[in-house]
Amino acid sequence: MSKVSWVFGVLKGHCVDTSGMGVREAFEELEKLRKAGKITDEEAKPPQDKVAKNGGNVGKDRKAAAKPEDKTSIKQQVKENLDKIKGTKVVAVIKEGSITKDKAAAISALKGQMARTKGIVKRDDLGEVDVLCEVNSAMGYSITAAEISSLAAVPAVIKNGVIIGNHENHKGGKLETITIAARVVVAGKPGIMGVVLKKKSKIFKAHRVLTPEGTTLWMDGEKAERKKQNKH
């Protein structure tokens, strides 16, 4: 991979708009990310520089330095922290009339909701968190009506929830993540939302909505309908 392809790939991975950007500007933007602490010094080095530094044994060195894979799911993290979460206040209420399985509509509504802040949520201990940067891929993890409908509650959970997880190797993806959880109410049903953020870039990655006991929160008749569809 060339240095040019690499730098633009890194910027796009951090939701930087590279439209009309020249190579020099791209490297200047990369340096801004490094100084802001959104990427490490090592991540800011082109692949060729890493090879030279390690004498051509990048693969070997990476393997030796690899951190244990953390397979803990959002669901597991919530279950392990139920007592901590139950003592907190409800941060968002999703009304019954807002329940939907239309992911595109949910994303569009969230973008409208966050237009004034340009998709940014500010939290004292984390700084600025970008909710919209990867929202399309984040919604790929959502399968229930509760999760799709409660996308609008993600900003409130990020801002007011409690941190319940801090992982250095999320599911073997060499990705550091933070998990935040908070109580929510979806169509009159009490629930808990868990939100995962990329630690360095502070980007929203995924969310789950569970019952107060830590199981999947289904809307009335949804689970039965899902079983029926799976039979066909």
Side-chain angles (χ1 to χ4, degrees):
M1 180 187 294
S2 69
K3 288 186 178 182
V4 174
S5 298
W6 169 80
V7 70
F8 279 104
V10 172
L11 294 180
K12 288 178 181 177
H14 285 78
C15 299
V16 176
D17 184 3
T18 59
S19 303
M21 185 180 289
V23 176
R24 177 176 291 182
E25 293 172 303
F27 277 98
E28 288 175 351
E29 193 64 34
L30 182 73
E31 180 62 11
K32 289 179 183 178
L33 289 178
R34 187 191 68 78
K35 287 182 177 179
K38 293 185 177 181
I39 59 174
T40 64
D41 291 345
E42 188 65 17
E43 289 172 324
K45 293 178 182 177
Q48 292 92 329
D49 292 351
K50 294 176 184 178
V51 171
K53 179 182 177 182
N54 292 284
N57 292 319
V58 175
K60 182 178 179 180
D61 290 348
R62 282 178 179 170
K63 186 175 181 180
K67 296 171 182 176
E69 177 180 350
D70 193 328
K71 296 182 178 180
T72 310
S73 66
I74 300 176
K75 191 173 185 178
Q76 288 173 292
Q77 292 176 69
V78 168
K79 279 189 172 183
E80 291 170 1
N81 290 275
L82 286 177
D83 290 340
K84 184 177 182 180
I85 299 166
K86 285 177 179 177
T88 62
K89 65 178 182 179
V90 171
V91 302
V93 176
I94 305 299
K95 297 181 179 179
E96 191 168 356
S98 300
I99 300 302
T100 180
K101 285 192 175 182
D102 187 335
K103 293 185 179 184
I107 291 172
S108 178
L110 179 65
K111 288 180 177 179
Q113 173 186 323
M114 302 195 73
R116 186 175 60 82
T117 63
K118 297 182 179 179
I120 300 298
V121 172
K122 293 182 179 180
R123 180 177 165 122
D124 291 342
D125 54 353
L126 294 178
E128 295 188 348
V129 177
D130 194 327
V131 178
L132 299 181
C133 177
E134 296 182 5
V135 67
N136 289 347
S137 60
M139 278 295 274
Y141 295 93
S142 302
I143 58 172
T144 68
E147 288 168 352
I148 296 169
S149 305
S150 63
L151 180 65
V154 168
V157 172
I158 292 173
K159 186 171 183 64
N160 303 301
V162 293
I163 294 176
I164 61 170
N166 198 324
H167 300 144
E168 295 185 341
N169 190 16
H170 182 76
K171 295 188 176 181
K174 298 179 181 178
L175 179 69
E176 292 186 70
T177 62
I178 295 172
T179 305
I180 301 172
R183 293 170 59 213
V184 296
V185 176
V186 185
K189 296 177 180 289
I192 295 172
M193 179 186 285
V195 174
V196 173
L197 309 177
K198 292 182 177 180
K199 186 174 181 179
K200 286 190 175 66
S201 56
K202 306 295 190 303
I203 292 173
F204 163 51
K205 184 179 185 298
H207 76 290
R208 290 290 308 274
V209 178
L210 308 167
T211 67
E213 293 71 43
T215 60
T216 301
L217 179 62
W218 301 96
M219 294 294 96
D220 294 340
E222 183 183 7
K223 190 172 183 179
E225 181 62 28
R226 192 172 188 83
K227 286 182 178 179
K228 188 186 296 184
Q229 290 176 352
N230 290 337
K231 288 180 180 179
H232 296 294

